[in-house]
Amino acid sequence: KTFPNLNTSFPFHLSINRLQHGYPAHRHDYLEFSYVIEGAGAESINGDRHPMLPGTFTFVLPYQVHELFTDPGHTLVLFNCSFGMDLLMEPSHEQAGGLSGLLDDAAGFPPYVHFESNELEKIRSLLEQMYEEYKGEAWGQAAMLKAKLAELLVLFERRRRRNSTRLALPQPEGKRERSIWPIIQYIHLHYHEEHITLS
C-alpha cells in the first residue's frame, strides 16, 4: 500500500533492483512500471505469463496481481518505478490522447512490450537520465521527472499500439464506453468524507 514519497506532493519512486529468486505474487494500490536491464526470467500478470528479457517494459495497474520469476543461473536487474495515479489524472492528461488513456484496460492491449535495437538504447538512456535526476536535488526536479515519465509512457504506449493486432470495433453513436478510472480516482481521494454518495 505504500512506497517512498507516496504521501508527498510528488508521489514517485524510482529504483534499480536485483532479483536472484524472483518476487512473490502481489498487488498494490498504485501504478508501477519495470524495465529489464539484464538477466532473464518471466512475469505473470493476472495469470498471463510473458518473458522478461533486456528491453522488456511492463506497466502494471493497481488491481493486477503479478509475480516475477528469475531463470536459474540468472539475476534479473531492472528499473522499478512506483507512482501515484494522481500523476496520470492531472487535468493536462485528461484530454483526448492524454496519459490517462493508459488506464483504459478495456482497450485490450497487453501490459508489456519488448523494446529492441535502437529503441532499447533510447529507453535505457531515458531511464538512466530519470534515475540520475531522481537521486539529485536540482531545482525543478519534480517537473523534470514528470516530463521524462510522460515521454517514457508515451513511447511505451506507441509501441504497444503498434504491436497490437487487435481490430477496434466501431462503437455505436452515443454509446462510447467511458473509463472507470476517474471514478476510482474520485473514491481514492474522497473515501474518508461523509458526503460521498453512490451517485
Side-chain angles (χ1 to χ4, degrees):
K1 290 182 178 294
T2 62
F3 60 87
N5 304 323
L6 173 63
N7 297 313
T8 67
S9 59
F10 185 55
F12 177 95
H13 175 65
L14 181 62
S15 61
I16 297 175
N17 297 304
R18 303 175 65 86
L19 304 179
Q20 293 182 317
H21 307 290
Y23 199 87
H26 64 286
R27 61 167 294 279
H28 30 68
D29 295 340
Y30 45 86
L31 299 167
E32 180 185 58
F33 75 72
S34 65
Y35 180 79
V36 180
I37 303 170
E38 60 183 74
E43 181 176 27
S44 173
I45 302 177
N46 283 354
D48 293 328
R49 189 166 171 140
H50 67 88
M52 293 288 275
L53 300 168
T56 301
F57 186 104
T58 306
F59 181 65
V60 182
L61 299 176
Y63 67 88
Q64 294 175 320
V65 176
H66 64 126
E67 183 174 5
L68 289 161
F69 306 89
T70 303
D71 286 355
H74 286 266
T75 297
L76 265 179
V77 183
L78 62 168
F79 282 101
N80 281 100
C81 182
S82 303
F83 56 101
M85 202 188 313
D86 303 4
L87 296 185
L88 295 194
M89 302 299 287
E90 293 177 349
S92 61
H93 294 155
E94 291 178 0
Q95 307 304 318
L99 290 178
S100 60
L102 285 162
L103 300 175
D104 184 13
D105 55 330
F109 298 119
Y112 68 93
V113 299
H114 297 290
F115 287 105
E116 298 174 353
S117 63
N118 61 332
E119 273 190 321
L120 185 151
E121 292 303 319
K122 182 176 182 178
I123 297 297
R124 179 163 180 170
S125 174
L126 181 56
L127 277 162
E128 288 172 348
Q129 293 171 38
M130 288 177 69
Y131 190 67
E132 184 178 352
E133 183 72 33
Y134 180 70
K135 289 299 183 183
E137 297 180 356
W139 180 89
Q141 181 190 52
M144 183 67 80
L145 287 170
K146 281 183 184 180
K148 292 184 182 298
L149 176 64
E151 180 180 0
L152 187 64
L153 293 177
V154 166
L155 291 172
F156 161 72
E157 186 65 5
R158 285 178 178 177
R159 180 59 187 266
R160 183 163 70 162
R161 289 170 181 265
R162 284 202 309 270
N163 288 352
S164 178
T165 57
R166 175 181 177 274
L167 296 177
L169 298 175
Q171 295 284 343
E173 282 297 320
K175 295 283 188 178
R176 186 173 178 273
E177 281 193 31
R178 299 184 64 189
S179 173
I180 195 71
W181 286 101
I183 299 171
I184 294 174
Q185 174 70 355
Y186 183 86
I187 295 170
H188 174 69
L189 293 175
H190 301 283
Y191 71 91
H192 58 287
E193 299 174 8
E194 290 185 9
H195 70 270
I196 191 169
T197 65
L198 180 61
S199 60

